[in-house]
Short mmCIF file of all heavy atoms in Angstrom, two decimals:
data_model
loop_
_atom_site.label_atom_id
_atom_site.label_comp_id
_atom_site.label_asym_id
_atom_site.label_seq_id
_atom_site.Cartn_x
_atom_site.Cartn_y
_atom_site.Cartn_z
N TRP M 229 16.32 17.23 -2.51
CA TRP M 229 15.78 18.59 -2.47
C TRP M 229 16.15 19.37 -3.72
O TRP M 229 15.30 20.02 -4.33
CB TRP M 229 16.28 19.32 -1.22
CG TRP M 229 15.96 20.79 -1.17
CD1 TRP M 229 16.81 21.83 -1.34
CD2 TRP M 229 14.67 21.38 -0.94
NE1 TRP M 229 16.15 23.03 -1.23
CE2 TRP M 229 14.83 22.77 -0.97
CE3 TRP M 229 13.40 20.86 -0.69
CZ2 TRP M 229 13.77 23.67 -0.79
CZ3 TRP M 229 12.34 21.73 -0.51
CH2 TRP M 229 12.53 23.11 -0.56
N ASP M 230 17.39 19.30 -4.14
CA ASP M 230 17.83 20.07 -5.31
C ASP M 230 17.15 19.60 -6.59
O ASP M 230 16.99 20.37 -7.53
CB ASP M 230 19.35 19.97 -5.47
CG ASP M 230 20.11 20.69 -4.37
OD1 ASP M 230 19.50 21.57 -3.71
OD2 ASP M 230 21.29 20.38 -4.15
N ALA M 231 16.75 18.32 -6.63
CA ALA M 231 16.08 17.77 -7.82
C ALA M 231 14.57 18.00 -7.78
O ALA M 231 13.89 17.77 -8.78
CB ALA M 231 16.38 16.28 -7.94
N THR M 232 14.05 18.45 -6.63
CA THR M 232 12.61 18.70 -6.49
C THR M 232 12.20 19.88 -7.36
O THR M 232 12.91 20.89 -7.40
CB THR M 232 12.27 18.97 -5.02
OG1 THR M 232 12.62 17.82 -4.23
CG2 THR M 232 10.79 19.26 -4.84
N PRO M 233 11.09 19.79 -8.08
CA PRO M 233 10.65 20.90 -8.94
C PRO M 233 10.61 22.23 -8.20
O PRO M 233 10.23 22.31 -7.03
CB PRO M 233 9.25 20.46 -9.38
CG PRO M 233 9.31 18.97 -9.37
CD PRO M 233 10.18 18.63 -8.19
N ASP M 234 10.98 23.29 -8.91
CA ASP M 234 11.05 24.63 -8.33
C ASP M 234 9.72 25.04 -7.69
O ASP M 234 9.71 25.65 -6.61
CB ASP M 234 11.45 25.65 -9.39
CG ASP M 234 12.89 25.48 -9.85
OD1 ASP M 234 13.67 24.82 -9.13
OD2 ASP M 234 13.23 26.01 -10.94
N ALA M 235 8.60 24.73 -8.36
CA ALA M 235 7.29 25.15 -7.85
C ALA M 235 7.00 24.52 -6.49
O ALA M 235 6.41 25.16 -5.61
CB ALA M 235 6.19 24.78 -8.84
N ILE M 236 7.41 23.27 -6.30
CA ILE M 236 7.18 22.60 -5.02
C ILE M 236 8.10 23.16 -3.95
O ILE M 236 7.68 23.38 -2.80
CB ILE M 236 7.37 21.07 -5.19
CG1 ILE M 236 6.23 20.50 -6.05
CG2 ILE M 236 7.42 20.37 -3.82
CD1 ILE M 236 6.32 19.02 -6.31
N ARG M 237 9.34 23.41 -4.30
CA ARG M 237 10.25 24.01 -3.31
C ARG M 237 9.74 25.38 -2.88
O ARG M 237 9.78 25.72 -1.69
CB ARG M 237 11.67 24.11 -3.90
CG ARG M 237 12.35 22.75 -4.05
CD ARG M 237 13.82 22.88 -4.35
NE ARG M 237 14.06 23.47 -5.66
CZ ARG M 237 15.24 23.81 -6.14
NH1 ARG M 237 16.32 23.65 -5.37
NH2 ARG M 237 15.37 24.30 -7.35
N LYS M 238 9.26 26.16 -3.85
CA LYS M 238 8.73 27.49 -3.52
C LYS M 238 7.51 27.37 -2.61
O LYS M 238 7.38 28.13 -1.63
CB LYS M 238 8.36 28.22 -4.81
CG LYS M 238 7.81 29.63 -4.58
CD LYS M 238 7.48 30.32 -5.90
CE LYS M 238 6.91 31.71 -5.65
NZ LYS M 238 6.57 32.41 -6.93
N HIS M 239 6.62 26.42 -2.91
CA HIS M 239 5.42 26.23 -2.08
C HIS M 239 5.80 25.86 -0.65
O HIS M 239 5.25 26.40 0.31
CB HIS M 239 4.54 25.14 -2.70
CG HIS M 239 3.37 24.75 -1.85
ND1 HIS M 239 2.21 25.49 -1.79
CD2 HIS M 239 3.20 23.70 -1.01
CE1 HIS M 239 1.37 24.91 -0.95
NE2 HIS M 239 1.93 23.82 -0.47
N LEU M 240 6.73 24.93 -0.50
CA LEU M 240 7.14 24.50 0.83
C LEU M 240 7.83 25.62 1.60
O LEU M 240 7.59 25.82 2.79
CB LEU M 240 8.05 23.27 0.73
CG LEU M 240 7.39 21.98 0.22
CD1 LEU M 240 8.43 20.89 0.03
CD2 LEU M 240 6.30 21.51 1.18
N GLU M 241 8.69 26.35 0.91
CA GLU M 241 9.39 27.47 1.56
C GLU M 241 8.40 28.54 2.01
O GLU M 241 8.54 29.13 3.09
CB GLU M 241 10.42 28.08 0.59
CG GLU M 241 11.62 27.19 0.29
CD GLU M 241 12.66 27.21 1.42
OE1 GLU M 241 12.37 27.79 2.49
OE2 GLU M 241 13.73 26.62 1.22
N THR M 242 7.37 28.78 1.20
CA THR M 242 6.37 29.79 1.52
C THR M 242 5.56 29.42 2.75
O THR M 242 5.16 30.27 3.55
CB THR M 242 5.41 30.00 0.32
OG1 THR M 242 6.17 30.43 -0.81
CG2 THR M 242 4.34 31.04 0.64
N HIS M 243 5.31 28.11 2.92
CA HIS M 243 4.43 27.65 4.00
C HIS M 243 5.17 27.09 5.22
O HIS M 243 4.53 26.64 6.17
CB HIS M 243 3.47 26.58 3.47
CG HIS M 243 2.46 27.11 2.51
ND1 HIS M 243 2.73 27.32 1.17
CD2 HIS M 243 1.16 27.50 2.69
CE1 HIS M 243 1.65 27.80 0.57
NE2 HIS M 243 0.69 27.92 1.47
N LYS M 244 6.49 27.12 5.20
CA LYS M 244 7.23 26.45 6.28
C LYS M 244 7.04 27.09 7.65
O LYS M 244 7.22 26.43 8.68
CB LYS M 244 8.72 26.39 5.94
CG LYS M 244 9.43 27.72 5.90
CD LYS M 244 10.91 27.54 5.57
CE LYS M 244 11.66 28.86 5.56
NZ LYS M 244 13.08 28.68 5.24
N ASP M 245 6.66 28.37 7.69
CA ASP M 245 6.48 29.04 8.97
C ASP M 245 5.01 29.29 9.31
O ASP M 245 4.70 29.95 10.29
CB ASP M 245 7.23 30.38 8.97
CG ASP M 245 8.73 30.21 8.83
OD1 ASP M 245 9.27 29.26 9.45
OD2 ASP M 245 9.36 30.99 8.09
N GLN M 246 4.11 28.72 8.48
CA GLN M 246 2.68 28.94 8.70
C GLN M 246 2.08 27.84 9.58
O GLN M 246 2.51 26.69 9.53
CB GLN M 246 1.94 29.01 7.36
CG GLN M 246 2.36 30.19 6.49
CD GLN M 246 1.59 30.25 5.18
OE1 GLN M 246 0.68 29.45 4.94
NE2 GLN M 246 1.95 31.20 4.34
N THR M 247 1.06 28.20 10.35
CA THR M 247 0.36 27.24 11.22
C THR M 247 -1.06 27.06 10.75
O THR M 247 -1.79 28.04 10.57
CB THR M 247 0.35 27.74 12.68
OG1 THR M 247 1.70 27.94 13.13
CG2 THR M 247 -0.34 26.74 13.59
N GLN M 248 -1.45 25.81 10.53
CA GLN M 248 -2.82 25.50 10.09
C GLN M 248 -3.79 25.62 11.26
O GLN M 248 -3.45 25.27 12.39
CB GLN M 248 -2.87 24.07 9.54
CG GLN M 248 -2.31 23.94 8.13
CD GLN M 248 -3.39 24.14 7.06
OE1 GLN M 248 -4.39 24.81 7.30
NE2 GLN M 248 -3.16 23.56 5.91
N PRO M 249 -5.02 26.07 11.01
CA PRO M 249 -6.04 26.07 12.07
C PRO M 249 -6.38 24.63 12.45
O PRO M 249 -6.11 23.70 11.68
CB PRO M 249 -7.23 26.76 11.41
CG PRO M 249 -7.01 26.61 9.94
CD PRO M 249 -5.53 26.62 9.74
N PRO M 250 -6.95 24.42 13.64
CA PRO M 250 -7.29 23.06 14.07
C PRO M 250 -8.17 22.35 13.05
O PRO M 250 -9.01 22.96 12.39
CB PRO M 250 -8.04 23.29 15.40
CG PRO M 250 -7.56 24.62 15.88
CD PRO M 250 -7.32 25.44 14.64
N LEU M 251 -7.98 21.03 12.93
CA LEU M 251 -8.75 20.23 11.99
C LEU M 251 -10.15 19.99 12.54
O LEU M 251 -10.30 19.67 13.72
CB LEU M 251 -8.04 18.89 11.78
CG LEU M 251 -8.53 18.02 10.61
CD1 LEU M 251 -8.16 18.66 9.28
CD2 LEU M 251 -7.91 16.63 10.71
N PRO M 252 -11.19 20.14 11.73
CA PRO M 252 -12.54 19.80 12.20
C PRO M 252 -12.59 18.35 12.66
O PRO M 252 -11.84 17.50 12.18
CB PRO M 252 -13.40 20.02 10.94
CG PRO M 252 -12.63 20.99 10.10
CD PRO M 252 -11.19 20.67 10.34
N ASP M 253 -13.50 18.07 13.56
CA ASP M 253 -13.60 16.70 14.10
C ASP M 253 -13.99 15.71 13.00
O ASP M 253 -14.78 16.01 12.10
CB ASP M 253 -14.65 16.65 15.21
CG ASP M 253 -14.16 17.33 16.47
OD1 ASP M 253 -12.94 17.47 16.64
OD2 ASP M 253 -15.01 17.74 17.29
N ALA M 254 -13.42 14.51 13.09
CA ALA M 254 -13.78 13.41 12.21
C ALA M 254 -13.66 12.13 13.02
O ALA M 254 -12.84 12.03 13.93
CB ALA M 254 -12.87 13.36 10.99
N THR M 255 -14.48 11.14 12.69
CA THR M 255 -14.42 9.84 13.36
C THR M 255 -13.70 8.86 12.44
O THR M 255 -14.15 8.60 11.31
CB THR M 255 -15.84 9.32 13.66
OG1 THR M 255 -16.52 10.27 14.48
CG2 THR M 255 -15.78 7.98 14.38
N ASN M 256 -12.58 8.32 12.92
CA ASN M 256 -11.77 7.41 12.11
C ASN M 256 -11.74 6.03 12.75
O ASN M 256 -11.41 5.89 13.93
CB ASN M 256 -10.34 7.95 11.98
CG ASN M 256 -10.27 9.19 11.12
OD1 ASN M 256 -10.34 9.12 9.89
ND2 ASN M 256 -10.13 10.36 11.75
N THR M 257 -12.06 4.99 11.97
CA THR M 257 -12.11 3.62 12.47
C THR M 257 -11.25 2.72 11.59
O THR M 257 -11.45 2.66 10.37
CB THR M 257 -13.56 3.09 12.46
OG1 THR M 257 -14.39 3.95 13.25
CG2 THR M 257 -13.62 1.67 13.02
N LEU M 258 -10.29 2.02 12.21
CA LEU M 258 -9.44 1.08 11.49
C LEU M 258 -10.20 -0.24 11.32
O LEU M 258 -10.67 -0.82 12.29
CB LEU M 258 -8.15 0.83 12.27
CG LEU M 258 -7.12 -0.09 11.63
CD1 LEU M 258 -6.52 0.56 10.39
CD2 LEU M 258 -6.02 -0.43 12.63
N VAL M 259 -10.32 -0.74 10.07
CA VAL M 259 -11.14 -1.92 9.83
C VAL M 259 -10.36 -3.12 9.29
O VAL M 259 -10.92 -4.21 9.15
CB VAL M 259 -12.29 -1.58 8.85
CG1 VAL M 259 -13.20 -0.52 9.45
CG2 VAL M 259 -11.77 -1.15 7.48
N GLY M 260 -9.08 -2.97 8.99
CA GLY M 260 -8.28 -4.08 8.49
C GLY M 260 -6.82 -3.71 8.49
O GLY M 260 -6.47 -2.52 8.42
N SER M 261 -5.92 -4.74 8.57
CA SER M 261 -4.50 -4.45 8.67
C SER M 261 -3.65 -5.64 8.25
O SER M 261 -4.15 -6.76 8.10
CB SER M 261 -4.14 -4.06 10.10
OG SER M 261 -4.27 -5.18 10.97
N ASN M 262 -2.36 -5.39 8.12
CA ASN M 262 -1.40 -6.43 7.77
C ASN M 262 -1.37 -7.53 8.84
O ASN M 262 -1.27 -8.72 8.52
CB ASN M 262 -0.02 -5.79 7.60
CG ASN M 262 1.04 -6.76 7.16
OD1 ASN M 262 1.73 -7.35 7.97
ND2 ASN M 262 1.20 -6.91 5.85
N LYS M 263 -1.46 -7.15 10.09
CA LYS M 263 -1.37 -8.12 11.18
C LYS M 263 -2.50 -9.15 11.11
O LYS M 263 -2.28 -10.35 11.35
CB LYS M 263 -1.39 -7.41 12.53
CG LYS M 263 -1.11 -8.34 13.70
CD LYS M 263 -0.96 -7.57 15.00
CE LYS M 263 -0.60 -8.51 16.15
NZ LYS M 263 -0.46 -7.79 17.44
N LEU M 264 -3.70 -8.70 10.77
CA LEU M 264 -4.81 -9.63 10.63
C LEU M 264 -4.55 -10.63 9.51
O LEU M 264 -4.90 -11.82 9.62
CB LEU M 264 -6.11 -8.86 10.36
CG LEU M 264 -6.71 -8.06 11.53
CD1 LEU M 264 -7.91 -7.26 11.06
CD2 LEU M 264 -7.10 -9.00 12.67
N SER M 265 -3.91 -10.20 8.45
CA SER M 265 -3.59 -11.11 7.35
C SER M 265 -2.52 -12.11 7.74
O SER M 265 -2.57 -13.28 7.35
CB SER M 265 -3.14 -10.31 6.12
OG SER M 265 -4.25 -9.70 5.48
N LEU M 266 -1.55 -11.68 8.54
CA LEU M 266 -0.53 -12.62 9.02
C LEU M 266 -1.15 -13.69 9.90
O LEU M 266 -0.78 -14.87 9.83
CB LEU M 266 0.55 -11.86 9.79
CG LEU M 266 1.52 -11.01 8.97
CD1 LEU M 266 2.47 -10.28 9.91
CD2 LEU M 266 2.28 -11.85 7.97
N GLU M 267 -2.10 -13.29 10.72
CA GLU M 267 -2.77 -14.27 11.58
C GLU M 267 -3.56 -15.28 10.74
O GLU M 267 -3.62 -16.47 11.06
CB GLU M 267 -3.68 -13.55 12.56
CG GLU M 267 -2.91 -12.75 13.61
CD GLU M 267 -3.79 -11.85 14.45
OE1 GLU M 267 -5.00 -11.74 14.14
OE2 GLU M 267 -3.28 -11.24 15.42
N ALA M 268 -4.13 -14.82 9.63
CA ALA M 268 -4.84 -15.73 8.73
C ALA M 268 -3.87 -16.69 8.05
O ALA M 268 -4.18 -17.87 7.85
CB ALA M 268 -5.61 -14.93 7.68
N MET M 269 -2.67 -16.21 7.70
CA MET M 269 -1.65 -17.08 7.11
C MET M 269 -1.23 -18.16 8.11
O MET M 269 -1.06 -19.33 7.75
CB MET M 269 -0.44 -16.25 6.70
CG MET M 269 -0.67 -15.32 5.53
SD MET M 269 0.79 -14.28 5.20
CE MET M 269 1.87 -15.46 4.39
N GLN M 270 -1.08 -17.76 9.34
CA GLN M 270 -0.68 -18.71 10.38
C GLN M 270 -1.73 -19.80 10.54
O GLN M 270 -1.40 -21.00 10.64
CB GLN M 270 -0.47 -17.97 11.71
CG GLN M 270 0.06 -18.85 12.83
CD GLN M 270 0.31 -18.03 14.10
OE1 GLN M 270 -0.47 -17.16 14.46
NE2 GLN M 270 1.42 -18.30 14.76
N GLU M 271 -2.99 -19.41 10.54
CA GLU M 271 -4.08 -20.38 10.67
C GLU M 271 -4.11 -21.32 9.47
O GLU M 271 -4.31 -22.53 9.62
CB GLU M 271 -5.41 -19.63 10.81
CG GLU M 271 -6.62 -20.54 11.00
CD GLU M 271 -6.54 -21.38 12.26
OE1 GLU M 271 -5.90 -20.94 13.24
OE2 GLU M 271 -7.13 -22.48 12.26
N GLU M 272 -3.90 -20.77 8.27
CA GLU M 272 -3.91 -21.61 7.07
C GLU M 272 -2.74 -22.60 7.08
O GLU M 272 -2.89 -23.76 6.70
CB GLU M 272 -3.83 -20.73 5.82
CG GLU M 272 -3.75 -21.48 4.50
CD GLU M 272 -5.01 -22.27 4.17
OE1 GLU M 272 -6.04 -22.05 4.82
OE2 GLU M 272 -4.96 -23.10 3.23
N ALA M 273 -1.57 -22.14 7.54
CA ALA M 273 -0.41 -23.03 7.62
C ALA M 273 -0.70 -24.20 8.55
O ALA M 273 -0.38 -25.36 8.24
CB ALA M 273 0.82 -22.25 8.10
N ARG M 274 -1.31 -23.92 9.66
CA ARG M 274 -1.64 -24.99 10.61
C ARG M 274 -2.68 -25.94 10.01
O ARG M 274 -2.63 -27.15 10.23
CB ARG M 274 -2.13 -24.38 11.92
CG ARG M 274 -1.01 -23.68 12.70
CD ARG M 274 -1.52 -22.87 13.86
NE ARG M 274 -0.40 -22.30 14.63
CZ ARG M 274 -0.53 -21.36 15.55
NH1 ARG M 274 -1.74 -20.88 15.83
NH2 ARG M 274 0.52 -20.88 16.18
#
Side-chain angles (χ1 to χ4, degrees):
W229 171 253
D230 291 340
T232 299
D234 291 342
I236 291 179
R237 289 192 293 174
K238 181 179 179 180
H239 173 79
L240 292 174
E241 290 282 7
T242 300
H243 291 82
K244 67 179 181 180
D245 297 320
Q246 296 182 4
T247 302
Q248 282 270 26
L251 192 69
D253 288 338
T255 301
N256 290 284
T257 302
L258 182 68
V259 299
S261 68
N262 183 268
K263 188 173 183 180
L264 288 175
S265 284
L266 287 177
E267 291 171 352
M269 291 175 76
Q270 185 177 41
E271 181 62 28
E272 177 66 13
R274 290 170 176 167

